[in-house]
Amino acid sequence: MSGFGEVFASVVVAIDTTAPMERRRTGGEAAASHASTREEGDTMTDAREVRDKYTAAFNVHDMDALLRTVSPTGVTVSPEGLSQGHEELASYIGQFWEAFPDVYAMVVESFDVGDVAVDELLMVGTHKGPYMMPDGQVITPTGRPVSLRCCYVCTVENGLIVSLRLYFDQLELRAQLGVPCG
């Protein structure tokens, strides 16, 4: 895993020298600590501020605070599927919190470009409830710990998330849960 991080960090440095992009290393701390870890001269974009509020609410499992960061017509896309609006997003996240009741997002790197915030993170938790895979298969609780590398791409308009795209390796998740493929 350290090889991935080193390669990713070298790519980030290369991007920083050629594009007007803000970059902050968070040292693996939760997104709520971004303000305290920003380097002098960094400015926080609206997208970053909203994304950090979303992550902080996710980490303490506060659905109301989380939904206050998302447009009522916001769209979320993940390997599990598509959700639009507060009701569908709340249902999806509620099911995820049921499957992984101690889950939290540990931000590794964050990048802002205009109205877009991108986070590389680890989703860490324990599988203690039923989890529905994208193919409809329900995985019964395994009690196994999960540390899943993920990437969020978040677009903000008028202070609210309008698009949130989550990417992660579904095979990695299956392997960590001890569920064979196929």
Side-chain angles (χ1 to χ4, degrees):
M1 251 203 241
S2 64
F4 171 79
E6 291 167 17
V7 170
F8 189 78
S10 66
V11 170
V12 170
V13 171
I15 291 171
D16 276 348
T17 62
T18 61
M21 178 183 289
E22 294 180 39
R23 176 177 135 350
R24 287 182 296 284
R25 181 176 270 300
T26 64
E29 296 175 17
S33 65
H34 276 237
S36 63
T37 61
R38 287 197 320 253
E39 297 174 11
E40 188 174 331
D42 278 354
T43 58
M44 186 177 289
T45 65
D46 288 343
R48 171 56 44 209
E49 186 175 345
V50 173
R51 176 68 187 131
D52 286 352
K53 287 179 183 179
Y54 177 98
T55 301
F58 179 88
N59 282 344
V60 296
H61 298 206
D62 184 340
M63 187 65 74
D64 292 334
L66 185 143
L67 292 177
R68 283 193 299 271
T69 67
V70 179
S71 166
T73 59
V75 175
T76 303
V77 179
S78 73
E80 288 93 353
L82 173 80
S83 69
Q84 183 167 7
H86 285 179
E87 188 175 320
E88 288 181 11
L89 179 60
S91 175
Y92 163 70
I93 290 177
Q95 289 175 21
F96 193 79
W97 285 344
E98 181 183 352
F100 302 94
D102 60 348
V103 70
Y104 65 95
M106 186 169 48
V107 178
V108 176
E109 291 280 350
S110 61
F111 312 90
D112 308 328
V113 182
D115 64 354
V116 177
V118 179
D119 291 330
E120 174 196 9
L121 52 90
L122 288 176
M123 199 74 71
V124 179
T126 310
H127 182 218
K128 294 183 177 182
Y131 177 67
M132 186 180 305
M133 295 295 293
D135 64 2
Q137 175 189 7
V138 175
I139 300 173
T140 58
T142 63
R144 290 176 172 237
V146 172
S147 179
L148 188 63
R149 293 175 294 173
C150 304
C151 178
Y152 269 109
V153 180
C154 173
T155 304
V156 172
E157 292 177 5
N158 301 316
L160 294 173
I161 296 170
V162 294
S163 171
L164 186 61
R165 296 174 307 279
L166 169 65
Y167 302 96
F168 65 85
D169 185 337
Q170 296 173 55
L171 293 178
E172 181 181 2
L173 178 59
R174 289 181 80 100
Q176 289 186 33
L177 295 177
V179 177
C181 297

